[in-house]
């Protein structure tokens, strides 16, 4: 088993790096590297640049407009993008919903939704969680009732990331209220339809990425149901498995480590031996996490599926929080100042590179919650791998 990326990919990495140098506007990269939530303008502009190059859906199969890369190339591409400072794109659409559409959708649905997503013309939100259904997602209560050629939807979704930018929301809804998992369906909702109300939730770093979504007699065409009625739990599970597969967050961890080192050098904290040792420990943790990810990928390529998603999620999220904490510490007294998300002027003094650090650190308390909380991941490990 190889625990390193095959050198045959070196040329590909160079190609990506060279293109990013040329294609990524410097001001956009600077904004991203400040760690605030990416603006919708930057996301849209970057999506268009990627689409023009044919690299918008790096993990998409060629037949749906992807570049036809293998998963090593996808990983290299994402790493290089993060290190260069590219804005986040529509991850819910590209990484979560698109695979469900091309796996379970009809040809008409694929044609309707995949090309505009790839072109950067449509933005998606994920409407799974509800006020009383998070970890226990199967207890969700948003109802969809068939009425002729339509479904009528009523309910509330919560924590819906970036849905205030969205054109479409993919939702899990109950179509059979008597059944639990077997009564769930996967539907697409027009985010601008009558009856959809979106209310912001402002996070601890004063940023707005989260929302509540109220669905009040919202009508969708019946053929906006994906796959079969009452089979949505299976489709949602595929989506959540995919979400977890990305959850080691190696590219984000690498970028955060790079920023930490830069920051620690700028502020002089790196001269503190104890602090430098903790940075080195975090770097060793990141190498171990990368080896674990490469091992999982190698095993998968060899046909033996090493079921490691939950372990990667725990390790990746905890490391991200550790690196965030070290960054705040590296800022010294400036680490105690909140520079709210989106603030550009009237910044208190302090190294510019550190302006978004505390807001990001506070927001990233959520990494051990979203995508399935770490407590739930530990239960999965105990049940599946340790057979407890
Ligand atoms: C920043 C952020 C972005 C998000 N984005 C989205 C989004 O775009 N779309 C979407 O649908 N959802 C989104 N979510 C919701 C996310 O998936 C849920 O928050 C998560 O699944 C946990 O559910 P909950 O918040 O209802 O907490 P709960 O399920 O109520 O859990 C509360 C606490 O109890 C623990 N707990 C619960 N059950 C158990 C158990 N059986 N054993 C042990 N411990 C348990 C949990 O680990 C947690 O610590 C987002 C959340 C956050 C914080």
């Amino acid at each position: 088993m190889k625990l390193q990326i095959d050198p045959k990919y070196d040329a590909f990495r160079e190609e990506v790096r060279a293109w990013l140098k040329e294609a990524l506007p410097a001001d956009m990269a600077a904004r991203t590297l400040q760690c605030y939530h990416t603006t919708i303008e930057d996301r849209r502009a970057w999506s268009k640049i990627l689409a023009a190059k044919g690299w918008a859906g790096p993990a998409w199969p060629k037949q749906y407009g992807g570049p036809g890369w293998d998963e090593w190339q996808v990983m290299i591409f994402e790493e290089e993008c993060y290190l260069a400072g590219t804005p986040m794109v529509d991850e819910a659409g590209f990484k979560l919903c698109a695979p469900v559409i091309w796996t379970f959708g009809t040809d008409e649905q694929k044609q309707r939704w995949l090309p505009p997503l790839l072109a950067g013309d449509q933005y998606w939100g994920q409407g799974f969680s509800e006020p009383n259904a998070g970890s226990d997602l199967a207890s969700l209560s948003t109802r969809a009732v068939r009425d002729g050629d339509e479904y009528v939807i009523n309910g509330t979704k919560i924590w819906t990331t970036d849905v205030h930018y969205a054109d479409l929301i993919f939702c899990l809804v109950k179509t059979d209220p008597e059944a639990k998992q077997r009564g769930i369906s996967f539907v697409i909702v027009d985010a601008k339809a009558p009856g959809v109300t979106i209310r912001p939730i402002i996070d601890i770093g004063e940023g707005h990425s989260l929302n509540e979504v109220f669905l009040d007699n919202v009508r969708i065409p019946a053929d906006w149901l994906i796959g079969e009625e009452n089979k949505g739990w299976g489709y949602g599970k595929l989506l959540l498995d995919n979400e977890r597969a990305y959850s080691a967050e190696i590219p984000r961890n690498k970028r955060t480590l790079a920023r930490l080192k830069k920051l620690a050098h700028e502020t002089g904290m790196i001269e503190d031996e104890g602090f430098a040792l903790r940075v080195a420990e975090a770097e060793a943790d990141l190498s171990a996490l990368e080896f674990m990810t490469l091992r999982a990928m190698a095993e998968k390529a060899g046909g033996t599926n090493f079921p490691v998603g939950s372990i990667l999620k725990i390790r990746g999220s905890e490391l991200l929080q550790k690196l965030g904490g070290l960054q705040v510490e590296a800022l010294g007294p400036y680490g105690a100042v909140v520079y709210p998300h989106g603030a550009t002027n009237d910044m208190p003094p302090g190294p510019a590179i550190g302006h978004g650090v505390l807001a990001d650190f506070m927001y990233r308390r959520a990494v051990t919650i979203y995508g399935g909380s770490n407590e739930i991941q530990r239960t999965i490990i105990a049940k599946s791998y340790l057979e407890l």
Side-chain angles (χ1 to χ4, degrees):
M1 181 191 312
K2 289 213 175 91
L3 289 184
Q4 62 182 43
I5 298 178
D6 195 312
K8 75 177 181 192
Y9 291 109
D10 289 353
F12 174 74
R13 192 185 283 279
E14 282 312 314
E15 183 193 349
V16 172
R17 204 172 276 177
W19 179 74
L20 285 168
K21 218 168 170 185
E22 191 186 298
L24 175 65
D27 59 329
M28 203 185 258
R31 279 191 293 277
T32 310
L33 291 172
Q34 270 207 322
C35 351
Y36 295 119
H37 296 313
T38 320
T39 63
I40 188 64
E41 292 76 19
D42 277 352
R43 289 173 200 220
R44 291 218 167 101
W46 182 239
S47 295
K48 289 280 172 197
I49 294 171
L50 284 172
K53 176 71 178 167
W55 288 358
W60 286 31
K62 224 172 172 142
Q63 69 189 108
Y64 301 120
W69 291 338
D70 64 25
E71 53 185 345
W72 305 94
Q73 288 173 298
V74 174
M75 185 169 123
I76 291 166
F77 178 71
E78 292 203 335
E79 254 181 51
E80 291 302 320
C81 282
Y82 263 85
L83 287 170
T86 64
M88 236 179 68
V89 291
D90 175 3
E91 301 221 332
F94 277 106
K95 288 186 174 172
L96 302 182
C97 193
V100 174
I101 293 175
W102 73 58
T103 308
F104 302 107
T106 61
D107 286 344
E108 206 188 330
Q109 289 173 333
K110 290 176 202 171
Q111 201 44 44
R112 186 185 304 143
W113 287 312
L114 296 178
L117 174 58
L118 199 65
D121 290 335
Q122 269 178 354
Y123 208 93
W124 291 70
Q126 178 190 11
F128 280 18
S129 305
E130 297 184 3
N132 292 313
S135 302
D136 183 16
L137 189 58
S139 64
L140 61 91
S141 62
T142 294
R143 279 283 276 132
V145 178
R146 183 78 188 242
D147 179 25
D149 290 341
E150 295 178 321
Y151 283 97
V152 182
I153 303 178
N154 281 285
T156 306
K157 298 290 177 181
I158 195 165
W159 310 121
T160 327
T161 302
D162 292 336
V163 77
H164 50 303
Y165 302 137
D167 303 288
L168 296 158
I169 317 172
F170 52 95
C171 294
L172 290 181
V173 293
K174 271 264 157 81
T175 31
D176 177 356
E178 304 305 322
K180 210 176 173 189
Q181 295 169 354
R182 290 206 182 123
I184 291 174
S185 297
F186 192 108
V187 297
I188 310 297
V189 174
D190 178 349
K192 313 270 192 307
V196 178
T197 306
I198 295 172
R199 198 159 71 188
I201 301 173
I202 303 303
D203 68 47
I204 190 174
E206 297 183 33
H208 175 204
S209 65
L210 301 170
N211 302 275
E212 283 177 288
V213 182
F214 302 95
L215 304 164
D216 185 13
N217 286 319
V218 177
R219 289 184 170 266
I220 60 163
D223 73 346
W224 284 32
L225 170 92
I226 302 287
E228 289 178 50
E229 201 179 83
N230 296 330
K231 293 262 174 80
W233 184 251
Y235 314 148
K237 252 178 78 60
L238 172 107
L239 180 151
L240 293 172
D241 286 347
N242 282 344
E243 189 174 10
R244 218 165 288 142
Y246 294 107
S247 59
E249 299 237 43
I250 301 285
R252 192 189 294 281
N253 270 305
K254 282 195 172 174
R255 177 164 83 191
T256 312
L257 176 69
R259 196 175 42 223
L260 166 63
K261 285 181 173 175
K262 199 160 178 229
L263 207 55
H265 279 283
E266 255 185 57
T267 60
M269 268 298 275
I270 204 69
E271 305 302 327
D272 179 313
E273 249 179 51
F275 186 79
L277 188 62
R278 285 160 62 213
V279 174
E281 274 170 6
E283 188 161 11
D285 286 348
L286 178 50
S287 295
L289 182 64
E290 193 172 10
F291 288 143
M292 207 190 289
T293 306
L294 293 173
R295 177 183 166 192
M297 286 170 71
E299 299 234 1
K300 199 169 158 216
T304 47
N305 208 356
F306 181 54
V308 76
S310 296
I311 302 173
L312 294 177
K313 158 87 210 304
I314 293 172
R315 290 276 188 220
S317 55
E318 288 180 350
L319 180 58
L320 208 48
Q321 291 184 342
K322 188 195 259 187
L323 289 169
L326 286 167
Q327 284 189 97
V328 173
E329 237 181 290
L331 277 170
Y334 297 117
V337 183
V338 185
Y339 304 76
H341 275 284
T344 46
N345 299 319
D346 306 324
M347 293 273 203
I353 185 187
H355 281 167
V357 164
L358 191 57
D360 190 51
F361 168 76
M362 293 196 291
Y363 176 77
R364 301 277 160 214
R365 306 324 292 158
V367 286
T368 48
I369 301 171
Y370 59 65
S373 79
N374 284 18
E375 288 77 19
I376 297 298
Q377 302 315 316
R378 288 194 168 88
T379 302
I380 293 172
I381 294 166
K383 280 192 182 154
S384 317
Y385 316 148
L386 307 177
E387 294 180 8
L388 295 175

